[in-house]
Amino acid sequence: FPKSVQMPDYPIEAMKAGVSGEVSILFLVGADGVVRDVVVEKSSIVGFGVVAQVAVAKWTFFPSVLLKDRKKVVPAHMRCRFEFRASES
């Protein structure tokens, strides 16, 4: 479960141009709850990937515990998706 989450900022240039897009991010949550190895899996434009990668790198999580013994804390691979939608004026 997330402990601290910061959403990515909409890139100013993309917002001014009315550009929308999507990003998929892969990352590892360490046994200590710290995010590591943040990678842009797919991004419709580079700017969206950059801001999403920076935001996810700042996230923290409660450590993952194995269900069968409830004591062993383990790292967890995660994926998240962001949608950037330009507002229609």
Side-chain angles (χ1 to χ4, degrees), residues 55-76:
V56 170
K58 296 176 183 176
W59 292 6
T60 58
F61 287 77
F62 293 100
S64 297
V65 179
L66 286 178
L67 292 177
K68 69 179 182 179
D69 66 12
R70 298 189 188 269
K71 292 179 184 172
K72 185 173 182 182
V73 179
V74 295

Side-chain angles (χ1 to χ4, degrees), residues 12-70:
I12 294 170
E13 298 80 20
M15 187 182 293
K16 287 180 181 176
V19 176
S20 296
E22 298 176 356
V23 177
S24 178
I25 299 284
L26 300 174
F27 59 100
L28 175 71
V29 177
D32 57 0
V34 174
V35 171
R36 296 178 175 83
D37 304 331
V38 182
V39 177
V40 177
E41 177 182 38
K42 189 176 1 175
S43 182
S44 55
I45 66 168
V46 173
F48 290 148
V50 170
V51 297
Q53 188 175 28
V54 168
V56 170
K58 296 176 183 176
W59 292 6
T60 58
F61 287 77
F62 293 100
S64 297
V65 179
L66 286 178
L67 292 177
K68 69 179 182 179
D69 66 12
R70 298 189 188 269

